[in-house]
Coordinates of all heavy atoms in Angstrom, one line a residue:
L287 N 2.0 1.8 3.8 CA 1.1 0.8 3.4 C 1.3 0.2 2.0 O 1.1 -0.9 1.8 CB -0.4 1.3 3.5 CG -0.8 1.5 5.0 CD1 -2.1 2.3 5.0 CD2 -1.0 0.2 5.7
Q288 N 1.7 1.1 1.1 CA 2.0 0.6 -0.3 C 3.2 -0.4 -0.2 O 3.1 -1.4 -0.9 CB 2.4 1.8 -1.2 CG 1.2 2.7 -1.5 CD 1.6 3.9 -2.2 OE1 2.5 4.7 -1.8 NE2 0.9 4.2 -3.4
Q289 N 4.2 0.0 0.5 CA 5.4 -0.9 0.7 C 5.0 -2.2 1.4 O 5.4 -3.3 1.0 CB 6.5 -0.3 1.4 CG 7.2 0.9 0.6 CD 8.2 1.6 1.4 OE1 8.6 1.2 2.5 NE2 8.8 2.6 0.7
F290 N 4.2 -2.1 2.4 CA 3.7 -3.3 3.2 C 2.9 -4.2 2.2 O 3.1 -5.4 2.2 CB 2.9 -2.8 4.4 CG 2.6 -3.9 5.3 CD1 3.5 -4.5 6.2 CD2 1.3 -4.4 5.5 CE1 3.2 -5.5 7.1 CE2 1.0 -5.4 6.4 CZ 1.9 -6.0 7.2
Y291 N 2.0 -3.6 1.4 CA 1.2 -4.4 0.5 C 2.1 -5.2 -0.5 O 1.9 -6.3 -0.7 CB 0.3 -3.4 -0.3 CG -0.5 -4.0 -1.4 CD1 -1.8 -4.5 -1.1 CD2 -0.1 -4.1 -2.7 CE1 -2.6 -5.0 -2.1 CE2 -0.8 -4.6 -3.7 CZ -2.1 -5.1 -3.4 OH -2.8 -5.7 -4.4
R292 N 3.1 -4.5 -1.0 CA 4.0 -5.1 -2.0 C 4.7 -6.2 -1.3 O 4.9 -7.3 -1.9 CB 4.9 -4.1 -2.6 CG 4.2 -3.1 -3.5 CD 5.1 -2.2 -4.2 NE 6.0 -2.9 -5.1 CZ 5.7 -3.4 -6.3 NH1 4.4 -3.3 -6.7 NH2 6.6 -4.1 -7.0
K293 N 5.1 -6.0 -0.1 CA 5.9 -7.1 0.7 C 5.1 -8.3 1.0 O 5.5 -9.4 0.6 CB 6.5 -6.5 2.0 CG 7.3 -7.4 2.8 CD 7.8 -6.8 4.1 CE 8.5 -7.8 4.9 NZ 8.9 -7.2 6.2
I294 N 3.9 -8.1 1.6 CA 3.1 -9.3 1.9 C 2.6 -10.1 0.7 O 2.4 -11.3 0.8 CB 2.0 -9.0 3.0 CG1 0.9 -8.2 2.3 CG2 2.6 -8.3 4.2 CD1 -0.4 -8.0 3.2
N295 N 2.4 -9.4 -0.4 CA 1.9 -10.0 -1.6 C 3.0 -10.5 -2.5 O 2.8 -10.8 -3.6 CB 1.0 -9.1 -2.3 CG -0.4 -9.0 -1.6 OD1 -1.2 -9.9 -1.6 ND2 -0.6 -7.8 -1.0
E296 N 4.3 -10.4 -2.0 CA 5.5 -10.8 -2.7 C 5.6 -10.2 -4.0 O 5.9 -10.8 -5.0 CB 5.5 -12.3 -2.8 CG 5.5 -13.0 -1.4 CD 5.5 -14.5 -1.4 OE1 5.7 -15.1 -2.5 OE2 5.2 -15.1 -0.4
L297 N 5.4 -8.9 -4.1 CA 5.5 -8.1 -5.3 C 6.8 -7.3 -5.3 O 7.1 -6.6 -6.3 CB 4.4 -7.1 -5.4 CG 3.0 -7.8 -5.5 CD1 1.9 -6.7 -5.5 CD2 2.8 -8.7 -6.7
E298 N 7.7 -7.5 -4.3 CA 8.9 -6.8 -4.2 C 9.9 -7.4 -5.2 O 9.9 -8.7 -5.3 CB 9.5 -6.8 -2.8 CG 8.8 -6.0 -1.8 CD 8.9 -4.5 -2.1 OE1 10.0 -4.0 -2.4 OE2 7.9 -3.8 -2.1
P299 N 10.7 -6.7 -5.9 CA 11.7 -7.3 -6.8 C 12.8 -8.0 -6.0 O 13.0 -7.7 -4.8 CB 12.4 -6.1 -7.5 CG 12.1 -4.9 -6.6 CD 10.8 -5.2 -5.9
D300 N 13.3 -9.0 -6.6 CA 14.4 -9.8 -6.0 C 15.5 -8.9 -5.6 O 16.0 -8.1 -6.4 CB 14.9 -10.9 -6.9 CG 15.9 -11.8 -6.3 OD1 15.8 -12.1 -5.1 OD2 16.8 -12.3 -7.0
T301 N 16.0 -9.0 -4.4 CA 17.1 -8.1 -3.9 C 18.3 -8.1 -4.8 O 18.9 -7.1 -5.2 CB 17.5 -8.4 -2.5 OG1 16.3 -8.4 -1.7 CG2 18.5 -7.4 -1.9
E302 N 18.7 -9.3 -5.2 CA 19.9 -9.4 -6.1 C 19.7 -8.7 -7.4 O 20.6 -8.0 -7.9 CB 20.2 -10.9 -6.3 CG 21.5 -11.1 -7.0 CD 21.9 -12.6 -7.1 OE1 21.7 -13.3 -6.1 OE2 22.2 -13.1 -8.2
V303 N 18.5 -8.9 -8.0 CA 18.2 -8.3 -9.3 C 18.2 -6.8 -9.1 O 18.7 -6.0 -9.9 CB 16.9 -8.8 -9.8 CG1 16.4 -8.0 -11.0 CG2 17.0 -10.2 -10.2
E304 N 17.6 -6.3 -8.0 CA 17.5 -4.9 -7.7 C 18.8 -4.2 -7.6 O 19.1 -3.2 -8.1 CB 16.6 -4.7 -6.4 CG 16.4 -3.2 -6.1 CD 15.5 -3.1 -4.9 OE1 15.7 -3.9 -3.9 OE2 14.8 -2.1 -4.8
Q305 N 19.8 -4.9 -6.9 CA 21.1 -4.4 -6.7 C 21.8 -4.3 -8.1 O 22.5 -3.4 -8.4 CB 21.9 -5.3 -5.8 CG 21.5 -5.1 -4.3 CD 22.2 -6.1 -3.4 OE1 22.8 -7.0 -3.8 NE2 22.0 -5.8 -2.1
T306 N 21.7 -5.3 -8.9 CA 22.3 -5.3 -10.2 C 21.7 -4.2 -11.0 O 22.4 -3.5 -11.7 CB 22.0 -6.7 -10.9 OG1 22.5 -7.7 -10.1 CG2 22.7 -6.7 -12.3
S307 N 20.4 -4.0 -11.0 CA 19.8 -2.9 -11.7 C 20.3 -1.6 -11.3 O 20.5 -0.7 -12.1 CB 18.2 -3.0 -11.6 OG 17.7 -4.2 -12.1
S308 N 20.4 -1.4 -10.0 CA 20.9 -0.2 -9.4 C 22.4 0.1 -9.9 O 22.7 1.2 -10.3 CB 20.9 -0.2 -7.9 OG 19.6 -0.3 -7.4
L309 N 23.2 -1.0 -9.9 CA 24.5 -0.8 -10.4 C 24.6 -0.5 -11.8 O 25.3 0.4 -12.3 CB 25.3 -2.1 -10.1 CG 25.7 -2.4 -8.6 CD1 26.3 -3.7 -8.5 CD2 26.6 -1.3 -8.1
S310 N 23.7 -1.1 -12.6 CA 23.7 -0.8 -14.0 C 23.2 0.6 -14.3 O 23.8 1.3 -15.1 CB 22.6 -1.7 -14.7 OG 23.1 -3.1 -14.6
A311 N 22.2 1.1 -13.5 CA 21.8 2.5 -13.6 C 22.9 3.4 -13.3 O 23.1 4.5 -14.0 CB 20.6 2.7 -12.8
Q312 N 23.7 3.1 -12.3 CA 24.8 4.0 -11.9 C 25.8 4.0 -13.0 O 26.3 5.1 -13.3 CB 25.4 3.5 -10.6 CG 24.6 3.8 -9.3 CD 25.1 3.2 -8.1 OE1 26.1 2.4 -8.1 NE2 24.5 3.5 -7.0
S313 N 26.1 2.9 -13.6 CA 27.1 2.8 -14.7 C 26.6 3.7 -15.8 O 27.4 4.4 -16.4 CB 27.3 1.4 -15.1 OG 27.8 0.6 -14.1
V314 N 25.4 3.6 -16.2 CA 24.8 4.4 -17.3 C 24.9 5.8 -17.0 O 25.4 6.6 -17.8 CB 23.3 4.0 -17.6 CG1 22.7 4.9 -18.5 CG2 23.3 2.5 -18.1
S315 N 24.6 6.2 -15.7 CA 24.6 7.7 -15.4 C 26.0 8.2 -15.4 O 26.3 9.3 -15.8 CB 23.9 8.0 -14.1 OG 24.6 7.5 -13.0
I316 N 27.0 7.3 -15.0 CA 28.4 7.7 -15.0 C 28.9 8.0 -16.4 O 29.5 8.9 -16.7 CB 29.3 6.7 -14.2 CG1 28.9 6.7 -12.7 CG2 30.8 7.0 -14.4 CD1 29.5 5.6 -11.9

Side-chain angles (χ1 to χ4, degrees):
L287 288 170
Q288 288 172 311
Q289 290 177 2
F290 190 74
Y291 175 90
R292 293 186 62 75
K293 180 180 177 184
I294 69 169
N295 287 289
E296 298 177 16
L297 300 174
E298 289 295 313
D300 184 32
T301 306
E302 186 176 314
V303 171
E304 183 177 37
Q305 288 173 348
T306 304
S307 298
S308 296
L309 290 173
S310 298
Q312 287 173 352
S313 298
V314 170
S315 71
I316 291 170

